[in-house]
């Protein structure tokens, strides 16, 4: 990043900041840049549900993108956020566990990738399962492989993110196998606490816990 022509040293970025960046990017993706070439932190905040001050603080971790009193170039800020999140290139995603939830995620992932620019963004490229009846089939054009072939397919297709939609009893074993195959980023839907090695990132999405907490408000 540049500030006045000089490099800006990037500080350690809190996870909560990284998690908000896709929210800002989603807002920018929805904006017609021809009609709105500039966006203020206030408008971005109103659209994303985050305060303008928090937005400015979040973006300051990565350098200076806008001008005080003017705002941000929507095109430039969108491009910078995509670069920060590595979405300016193709990121290959695999899924383990092709049950109902897994199939729904594959279809969603494929539909989202069709909205991305060529050679950019998340690409669902493979799914894995133990069920012999599913192996060799496709879901929304994504091939289903045997988990026995998982290491080779991960390497061949350069998969760097895995979505786990397997039963709790199988989650740790499948997770370990993916880690051994070189994957370092996971989205886990299995309702179980995983033993996670250092250097591996796992985001948990426990649907049951979310629903049970919502029961309080029902």
């Amino acid at each position: 990043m540049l500030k006045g022509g000089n490099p800006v040293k990037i500080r350690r970025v809190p996870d909560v900041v990284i998690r908000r960046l896709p929210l800002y990017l989603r807002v920018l993706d929805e904006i017609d840049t021809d009609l709105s070439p500039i966006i203020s932190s206030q408008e971005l905040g109103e659209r994303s549900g985050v305060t303008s001050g928090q937005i400015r603080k979040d973006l300051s971790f990565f350098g200076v993108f806008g001008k005080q009193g003017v705002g941000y170039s929507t095109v430039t800020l969108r491009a910078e956020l995509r670069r920060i999140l590595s979405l300016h290139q193709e990121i290959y995603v695999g899924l383990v566990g092709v049950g109902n939830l897994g199939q729904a995620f594959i279809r969603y992932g494929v539909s989202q990738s069709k909205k991305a620019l060529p050679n950019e963004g998340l690409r669902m490229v493979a799914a894995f399962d133990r069920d012999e009846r599913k192996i060799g089939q496709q879901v929304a054009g994504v091939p289903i492989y045997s988990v026995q072939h998982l290491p080779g397919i991960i390497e061949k297709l350069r998969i760097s993110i895995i979505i786990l939609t397997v039963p709790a009893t199988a989650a740790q074993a499948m997770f370990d196998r993916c880690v051994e195959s070189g994957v370092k980023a996971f989205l886990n839907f299995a309702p179980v606490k995983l033993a996670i090695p250092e250097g591996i990132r796992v985001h948990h999405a426990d649907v049951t816990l979310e629903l049970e907490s919502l029961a309080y408000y029902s």
Side-chain angles (χ1 to χ4, degrees):
M1 304 300 171
L2 298 179
K3 181 178 181 180
N6 298 316
V8 173
K9 184 177 180 179
I10 297 178
R11 296 168 284 166
R12 180 177 176 83
V13 184
D15 179 65
V16 66
V17 173
I18 297 297
R19 285 176 175 266
R20 281 194 291 263
L21 297 185
L23 180 59
Y24 306 152
L25 181 59
R26 178 181 294 176
V27 170
L28 293 167
D29 282 340
E30 294 173 349
I31 290 176
D32 186 328
T33 55
D34 291 330
L35 296 177
S36 303
I38 300 293
I39 187 170
S40 66
S41 57
Q42 180 177 348
E43 182 182 355
L44 184 54
E46 290 172 352
R47 288 172 175 259
S48 62
V50 180
T51 66
S52 59
Q54 185 64 65
I55 289 173
R56 291 193 296 272
K57 183 177 180 181
D58 288 351
L59 296 180
S60 72
F61 279 97
F62 306 97
V64 178
F65 302 108
K67 293 183 179 180
Q68 188 173 3
V70 177
Y72 306 98
S73 162
T74 52
V75 171
T76 300
L77 183 56
R78 182 168 59 189
E80 284 296 320
L81 289 177
R82 293 189 70 81
R83 189 184 65 79
I84 291 167
L85 292 167
S86 296
L87 295 174
H88 64 300
Q89 59 189 345
E90 286 187 320
I91 303 293
Y92 302 116
V93 181
L95 180 141
V96 181
V98 193
N100 291 333
L101 179 60
Q103 291 183 41
F105 257 91
I106 292 171
R107 293 189 175 93
Y108 176 77
V110 170
S111 68
Q112 290 300 106
S113 66
K114 290 179 179 178
K115 300 176 183 178
L117 295 173
N119 304 315
E120 286 192 7
L122 302 171
R123 305 287 177 180
M124 184 75 68
V125 294
F128 303 90
D129 205 276
R130 293 184 183 276
D131 190 339
E132 294 291 339
R133 295 169 297 179
K134 296 176 182 177
I135 295 168
Q137 303 297 315
Q138 293 188 352
V139 177
V142 176
I144 303 173
Y145 300 95
S146 168
V147 292
Q148 299 300 320
H149 299 146
L150 186 146
I153 297 298
I154 284 178
E155 181 180 7
K156 179 181 178 181
L157 299 182
R158 295 180 291 143
I159 294 171
S160 57
I161 298 176
I162 285 288
I163 301 172
L164 289 174
T165 52
V166 296
T169 53
Q172 187 68 56
M174 289 297 98
F175 170 74
D176 291 343
R177 193 161 190 185
C178 291
V179 170
E180 292 168 0
S181 301
V183 179
K184 296 183 178 180
F186 295 81
L187 177 59
N188 175 41
F189 281 86
V192 64
K193 183 178 180 180
L194 298 171
I196 304 171
E198 186 176 353
I200 304 300
R201 187 72 190 182
V202 179
H203 286 184
H204 297 277
D206 193 321
V207 177
T208 300
L209 287 181
E210 295 296 334
L211 288 172
E212 289 177 348
S213 64
L214 282 172
Y216 175 84
Y217 302 98
S218 63

